[in-house]
Amino acid sequence: MAQAGVYGRRLGQPLQLKHAPSLITRSLRSDALAVTEIRNDNPVRDLSGSLPADDAYLVSLKFRDYDDCECWEDGRCITKSNIRSGATYLYDLKRDPRYVIDKPFHSVFFYLPRSALDDIARQSRARRIDELGYEPGIGHDDGVIRHLSAVLLEALRRPEEVNQLFVDHVMLAFSAHVARTYGGLHSVTAPARGGLAAWQARQACERLEADLRGKIPLKQIAAEFDLSVSHFSRAFRVSTGLPPHQWLLQQRVKVAKQLMAVIDLPLSEIAIAAGFANQSHFTRVFSAAVGISPALWRREMYRVPNIET
């Protein structure tokens, strides 16, 4: 299936990149949302190519300063400004945003289609967002975007370890934040605060536990209860105390502990059986959750000899 949105290769090529890793979610009833890492340490001086026209925005967090950036829209230079590391910039893909490439750059770009903004407004029972407010070349000090970008950058660099529930959760948070901060979204009514019904919570947990790899999209699980992703995620957290992706990580650790009771079962096999990408991924998550490595936990719990590290 051809890629429709402006992310991954379709974003990277006009910026002189052959490889542009991306993560994608379809957690809203809209076109795909995506985040792409863009980095070029040795660019060729030129005006960037035109990005595919789209009724969508790019929201970008910069990891490098970029002095005297010549910004273009609709075929003409509109401003020249100093781009600052850590700042957030917005681009309207209907306006053919481009810039002069003449120095190394490193950013993440979030792709946010109009259909996603419309869906967020419907879920919030709010008025439709007209346009996002921004000035070309003017950055925003946005701590939320900085945090989400740092978290997703780690995921982009370890795609084999990515939990789709986590990507869905973070991208939903990103979309809601942008709608409120730059689109002026105001809910007509306060969101429901209650949790899932007991049978819904039980069924949702069973559904998640049946796929420890976390490949089932939140959208699919929420649809089984005829709920939006945002409503389901909020209600699930009220019922269980954790958002779905963190609850699933907790279950992985629980299953791994049970499997480690089988003393001659290698940690590499336990890692895969418990839904981790590999032993390194298992060790990193387990150590963060429990405070010690799986091998040390097993030795202390079952008094077994040091057969693995």
Side-chain angles (χ1 to χ4, degrees):
M1 181 181 293
Q3 176 185 305
V6 183
Y7 53 86
R9 181 180 57 82
R10 296 187 86 205
L11 175 59
Q13 282 188 337
L15 300 176
Q16 304 181 1
L17 298 175
K18 294 181 179 179
H19 178 61
S22 61
L23 298 172
I24 305 163
T25 179
R26 291 177 172 81
S27 56
L28 293 169
R29 297 172 185 174
S30 65
D31 297 327
L33 301 169
V35 60
T36 303
E37 181 182 11
I38 296 295
R39 179 169 185 166
N40 191 336
D41 296 326
N42 296 288
V44 176
R45 180 181 172 84
D46 198 1
L47 180 64
S48 64
S50 287
L51 298 168
D54 196 352
D55 191 4
Y57 292 89
L58 293 175
V59 179
S60 179
L61 189 282
K62 308 303 182 184
F63 294 115
R64 272 182 175 167
D65 289 346
Y66 198 98
D67 292 337
D68 298 322
C69 180
E70 190 174 310
C71 302
W72 289 50
E73 282 191 351
D74 297 323
R76 63 188 181 88
C77 177
I78 55 173
T79 187
K80 195 170 186 179
S81 59
N82 294 329
I83 302 298
R84 290 298 172 233
S85 174
T88 295
Y89 296 80
L90 278 72
Y91 308 89
D92 187 340
L93 287 170
K94 298 190 301 298
R95 300 182 185 179
D96 186 25
R98 305 171 74 181
Y99 72 97
V100 173
I101 299 175
D102 59 1
K103 56 184 71 70
F105 56 87
H106 185 200
S107 312
V108 292
F109 281 84
F110 294 85
Y111 170 72
L112 181 62
R114 156 60 60 186
S115 56
L117 292 172
D118 290 345
D119 196 33
I120 291 169
R122 280 194 299 269
Q123 290 185 19
S124 302
R125 300 182 183 179
R127 292 181 180 178
R128 184 176 187 267
I129 296 170
D130 183 19
E131 299 286 346
L132 297 184
Y134 79 99
E135 293 182 52
I138 304 301
H140 301 266
D141 182 16
D142 192 321
V144 172
I145 297 297
R146 276 199 302 274
H147 172 71
L148 297 180
S149 297
V151 168
L152 287 170
L153 190 61
E154 288 301 309
L156 283 161
R157 292 174 176 176
R158 295 192 180 103
E160 73 283 355
E161 298 179 7
V162 170
N163 178 337
Q164 186 61 47
L165 296 177
F166 165 76
V167 177
D168 293 348
H169 176 82
V170 174
M171 292 301 290
L172 184 64
F174 156 78
S175 303
H177 170 73
V178 171
R180 289 191 300 266
T181 305
Y182 305 101
L185 177 73
H186 296 289
S187 298
V188 175
T189 57
R193 298 297 179 186
L196 299 169
W199 70 269
Q200 290 176 319
R202 181 177 64 255
Q203 188 170 317
C205 289
E206 290 173 353
R207 192 81 167 87
L208 290 169
E209 201 167 13
D211 177 37
L212 289 174
R213 293 295 302 275
K215 298 302 182 183
I216 300 177
L218 272 180
K219 181 178 179 180
Q220 182 177 328
I221 300 174
E224 295 177 7
F225 304 105
D226 197 27
L227 299 173
S228 69
V229 172
S230 58
H231 185 174
F232 171 76
S233 298
R234 185 168 54 245
F236 184 92
R237 184 168 190 165
V238 170
S239 295
T240 67
L242 294 169
H245 73 281
Q246 289 186 3
W247 185 90
L248 186 62
L249 282 179
Q250 189 178 74
Q251 298 312 299
R252 288 180 181 175
V253 171
K254 177 182 175 182
V255 169
K257 286 180 175 180
Q258 293 169 345
L259 292 173
M260 280 192 282
V262 182
I263 304 304
D264 59 351
L265 190 62
L267 291 181
S268 57
E269 294 182 17
I270 290 172
I272 300 302
F276 296 97
N278 48 50
Q279 186 174 338
S280 175
H281 182 210
F282 169 42
T283 299
R284 189 161 50 253
V285 173
F286 189 95
S287 299
V290 180
I292 58 175
S293 70
L296 182 56
W297 183 88
R298 177 189 247 180
R299 289 200 299 272
E300 291 185 351
M301 181 62 64
Y302 298 106
R303 298 291 187 262
V304 297
N306 185 11
I307 58 174
E308 311 186 65
T309 58

